[in-house]
Every structure is written in structure tokens, then in C-alpha cells.
Amino acid sequence: MAKKEISQVTSPVQKGRRCVAFAKAWKKHWILYMMFIPVAVYYLLFYYKPMYGILMAFQDYQPMKGMLGSDWVGFMHFKDFFQNYYFWRIVKNTVIISGASIIFGFPAPIILALLLNEVGSTKFKRSVQTISYMPHFISMVVICGMIRVFVADNGIITDLLVLFGMERQPLLSNPDAFVPILVISEIWQGMGWGSIIYLAALTGIDQTLYEAAVIDGANRWKQTLHVTIPGIAPTIIIMLILRLGSILSVGYEKIILLYNPLTYETGDVISSFVYRKGLQEMNWSYSTAVGLFNSVVNFVFLMITNSISRRVSETSLW
């Protein structure tokens, strides 16, 4: 009873202190709070409010009846998806494409940042950075159009492969060539832009560590191994956690623009499957269920990788 009475007495006092503290913080940093308001409104409107639509995954959604009037079907759409003939194919393709992007694409910006860090000429360094950033700002439609031209039966990439003995054919009609084309183009498009965060992390490394390494007789390679990479390791770990947390979130835009029925066998992924079911076949409830399954799996991967990283390296998102 005594503890309960004390908490009831001190609770208004604590609330008053918090209000006073918030008022002081608002008065001191009101510009920052005002700048944050549009960001908060944006996330509330476009990220949290649409979560109400998750209910569609458990309904037989009919636009005329609306969200509240549609019939509830429970986990029927999830069962249909798990029993679908193409379930294992699209999950396998998603994991393969995402895994290949992580294995080959994730180290690419790191390697580029390390190479640029060793360049002594500022002019050359800026030129390489500008050229490597450019593909990121090109429209996805234009990028896919370029890829289609390059890998056509008379494209420049096809001509080069024919010189090495490959049979002349449109590469986008070959199921075995679809994943390499997709992954390599992703690396080309995002490597320069992705290196920015690692270049920023490199600037935060204490230069005295390099001086100490030189005194100990370390060459540039050993300095990279024992100073540079450990210096940006926390950034690498955080980016890897985020990447593994979206392992099933393979973007559908480029895939839809590049694939065709001949390459569904290796190119059809969860996101493109959701696109066809939701927009082309107008099966909104089914596509919502598939998208929710995708999000749940990504969340589980995020939690697992974050927990492992926290225990092994003491670096984590939270």
C-alpha cells in the first residue's frame, strides 16, 4: 500500500517534470521539431495508415463492399499460396536472386570505396565517382531498354560472348542467363551510389592509426586489412543486417520489365507474382496475403541477423 501511495503522489510530479523538460527542449530546438513534423506526417500517411489494408489478407475483399463489409475467410489465402503449384519455384527464385545479389553485389560498393580511398589524384577520383554514380540516376525503364539492346541477338554483349563460343541467341530468352543479367546489371547500377556511405565511414577513421601502422612496418595492403576494414566494420555490419532483413524483397520493377514467359522458370519472384495476382488478375486479398508472408519472413530474418550480430560483434541496430 505504501509503495502504491508513493507512486500515486510522485506520478503527477514526474509528469510535470516531463512537461517542463519537453517545453524547454521545444523552446531550444523548435526548428528541428518543425522540420521533423513533415517527416512524421509522411510516415504516418504512407507507411502506417496503409497497414490497415493488411486486413484484406484475411478477407474475400470486394471493392463494392469495402474493407468492413467484405467476408472474413481467415487463413484461406495463405493456405492457397502455400499449396500453389508455383510456391516453391517463386520462393526458390527469390532466394537465389537475393542471395546472388548479396554474395556478389554487397561487397562491390565496399571494394569500390576501398579502391577510391587509395587514389591519390583528386581529379581522377572525382571523375570515377561521377561516372560510377550516373547509372543510379537513370530511369529504370531506360536501364532495362539499354539491357535489352545490349543482350539482343545482335547486341554488343551477345557479340562478345559469341567470340568465346556461345551460340547466338537473345539472352533474355534464355532462362539460365536471366539471373546473371539481373545481378550484374544491379551491381553496375548501384555500386557507385552504394559506395557513398562507405566513403563517408572511411573519413571517420583516425589517421594516427595509419601513422602507427607505418611505424610498425605495415604496407598499404596490411593497413587496409588491419586499420581500414576494422574501421568501417560497424557500417558494413549494419548495412549487411539491413540487406539480410530484406532477403525476400527482390524488386519487381526490373524483373517485370525484363522477364517473359520463357524466363518465368528462373525469373519469377514473390514480388512479380504479387504484381500479377494483385493488379493483372485483380485478386487483391490473395496478393495481400502473399505480401504479408513476405514481410513477416523479412522481419524474422532481420531479428535473427540483428541478434547474431549483437552477440558476435556487439554491433546491431538496437
Side-chain angles (χ1 to χ4, degrees):
M1 287 294 295
K3 291 183 178 179
K4 186 175 181 181
E5 292 176 356
I6 292 173
S7 63
Q8 291 177 349
V9 173
T10 56
S11 179
V13 176
Q14 292 177 350
K15 291 181 179 178
R17 290 177 179 175
R18 291 174 182 173
C19 292
V20 172
F22 178 75
K24 291 182 178 179
W26 176 270
K27 184 177 181 180
K28 184 177 181 180
H29 305 291
W30 68 271
I31 296 179
L32 296 178
Y33 284 108
M34 292 298 292
M35 293 174 62
F36 175 73
I37 289 176
V39 178
V41 171
Y42 170 80
Y43 276 91
L44 288 173
L45 290 179
F46 297 103
Y47 285 88
Y48 287 94
K49 185 177 180 294
M51 291 178 68
Y52 174 69
I54 292 175
L55 295 175
M56 292 170 56
F58 307 95
Q59 296 177 326
D60 182 16
Y61 178 73
Q62 301 294 330
M64 297 299 294
K65 295 181 179 180
M67 193 79 70
L68 299 179
S70 298
D71 299 329
W72 291 89
V73 296
F75 292 93
M76 185 186 75
H77 298 300
F78 294 93
K79 293 179 182 178
D80 291 344
F81 175 59
F82 297 147
Q83 296 172 359
N84 191 291
Y85 176 78
Y86 300 110
F87 171 74
W88 289 111
R89 188 185 76 175
I90 62 177
V91 171
K92 181 190 72 173
N93 292 343
T94 304
V95 173
I96 289 175
I97 293 175
S98 183
S101 298
I102 293 173
I103 294 173
F104 300 103
F106 182 79
I110 302 173
I111 295 173
L112 178 61
L114 293 175
L115 293 175
L116 290 175
N117 189 54
E118 299 298 323
V119 175
S121 173
T122 304
K123 185 177 180 180
F124 179 76
K125 182 177 181 179
R126 290 178 177 176
S127 300
V128 172
Q129 286 180 290
T130 302
I131 294 172
S132 63
Y133 296 166
M134 287 176 63
H136 176 79
F137 298 99
I138 301 177
S139 170
M140 184 65 71
V141 177
V142 176
I143 288 287
C144 292
M146 294 169 60
I147 294 173
R148 286 185 174 276
V149 172
F150 293 157
V151 300
D153 56 352
N154 58 348
I156 183 172
I157 294 179
T158 306
D159 291 339
L160 292 175
L161 294 177
V162 168
L163 293 177
F164 291 95
M166 190 196 79
E167 181 182 354
R168 184 175 293 278
Q169 61 175 334
L171 294 180
L172 286 177
S173 298
N174 183 358
D176 296 330
F178 185 83
V179 175
I181 292 173
L182 186 69
V183 173
I184 293 172
S185 63
E186 286 285 345
I187 295 174
W188 167 67
Q189 189 177 2
M191 180 173 62
W193 182 256
S195 66
I196 293 176
I197 190 170
Y198 300 108
L199 289 170
L202 287 170
T203 60
I205 299 177
D206 189 356
Q207 296 300 312
T208 59
L209 296 176
Y210 290 104
E211 297 174 1
V214 172
I215 294 174
D216 292 337
N219 55 26
R220 296 300 301 177
W221 173 244
K222 291 185 177 180
Q223 290 177 38
T224 301
L225 289 179
H226 300 290
V227 179
T228 306
I229 294 180
I232 63 173
T235 303
I236 295 174
I237 292 172
I238 293 297
M239 298 301 295
L240 182 60
I241 292 173
L242 294 173
R243 184 64 186 85
L244 291 174
S246 59
I247 191 168
L248 293 186
S249 296
V250 178
Y252 67 91
E253 298 91 346
K254 180 178 287 186
I255 291 178
I256 290 174
L257 291 170
L258 292 179
Y259 78 167
N260 56 71
L262 294 176
T263 55
Y264 279 176
E265 179 183 350
T266 58
D268 196 19
V269 296
I270 293 177
S271 58
S272 60
F273 183 76
V274 170
Y275 169 81
R276 291 202 310 275
K277 287 292 182 180
L279 295 181
Q280 294 184 346
E281 300 180 15
M282 293 185 291
N283 194 344
W284 297 288
S285 294
Y286 187 86
S287 62
T288 302
V290 178
L292 181 57
F293 162 78
N294 190 16
S295 299
V296 170
V297 173
N298 285 334
F299 178 74
V300 171
F301 267 96
L302 178 64
M303 296 295 293
I304 293 174
T305 54
N306 186 74
S307 178
I308 294 173
S309 176
R310 185 173 62 250
R311 294 180 181 180
V312 175
S313 65
E314 299 183 355
T315 299
S316 61
L317 292 174
W318 59 84

